[in-house]
């Protein structure tokens, strides 16, 4: 049911600036900045051989990550994303086990153009978990 680690997200004030060192120092491919208004963020990815680092910056003052970035001015790990073969079936199993899905519970299209859902960190040892349809 659980697939590979898709990415680790780091919330920052400036996603392009934060990603730059991964390209310069490590030779990682850096994506263009992509605004995702439906998620309230701008994303930039650093592509590594075995996973990706997603840098997310708030898109406006009402962004769901604005307070996180305010509390963590230098940035910080925001969430981990795992691939799953069937996002709806996985959601239903997790809910049946007591996990709380964030938002309205319906998958939304994420930065990779695939359906995603987020689950409450209190249900995953303090880690905000995103699942993405593989």
């Amino acid at each position: 049911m659980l697939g590979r680690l898709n990415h680790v997200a780091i919330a920052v004030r400036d996603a392009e600036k934060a990603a730059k060192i991964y390209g310069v120092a490590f030779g990682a491919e850096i994506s263009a900045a992509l605004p995702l208004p439906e998620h309230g963020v701008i994303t930039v990815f650093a592509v590594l051989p075995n996973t990706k680092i997603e840098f997310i910056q708030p898109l406006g003052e009402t962004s769901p990550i604005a307070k996180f970035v305010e509390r963590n001015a230098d940035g910080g790990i925001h969430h981990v994303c795992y691939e799953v073969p069937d996002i709806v079936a996985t959601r239903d199993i997790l809910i049946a086990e007591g996990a709380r899905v964030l938002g309205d519970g319906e998958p939304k299209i994420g930065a990779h153009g695939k359906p995603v859902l987020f689950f409450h960190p209190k249900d995953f040892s303090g880690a905000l978990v995103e699942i993405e349809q593989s």
Side-chain angles (χ1 to χ4, degrees):
M1 175 162 86
L2 190 63
R4 72 181 199 94
L5 175 67
N6 183 280
H7 66 267
V8 174
I10 301 174
V12 296
R13 292 184 187 277
D14 184 331
E16 289 179 297
K17 181 179 176 185
K20 183 178 178 183
I21 193 162
Y22 283 78
V24 173
F26 303 125
E29 176 188 334
I30 306 299
S31 75
L34 176 65
L36 296 173
E38 62 278 11
H39 293 280
V41 297
I42 296 170
T43 66
V44 175
F45 284 91
V47 180
L48 308 176
N50 61 341
T51 192
K52 295 180 278 299
I53 306 294
E54 176 186 35
F55 295 93
I56 53 176
Q57 91 181 45
L59 182 60
E61 295 175 14
T62 60
S63 169
I65 68 162
K67 287 183 181 172
F68 182 94
V69 171
E70 192 175 299
R71 286 190 310 270
N72 300 279
D74 294 327
I77 294 178
H78 185 262
H79 68 269
V80 294
C81 177
Y82 302 106
E83 294 178 358
V84 295
D86 185 333
I87 196 167
V88 173
T90 302
R91 175 201 62 195
D92 294 346
I93 291 167
L94 291 171
I95 290 172
E97 290 298 317
R100 292 168 282 178
V101 65
L102 300 178
D104 64 10
E106 293 302 316
K108 297 193 176 16
I109 300 302
H112 300 116
K114 297 179 180 181
V116 299
L117 285 169
F118 287 87
F119 289 86
H120 202 290
K122 289 185 178 177
D123 301 325
F124 290 91
S125 306
L128 178 61
V129 169
E130 177 184 17
I131 58 173
E132 177 181 285
Q133 179 84 36
S134 58

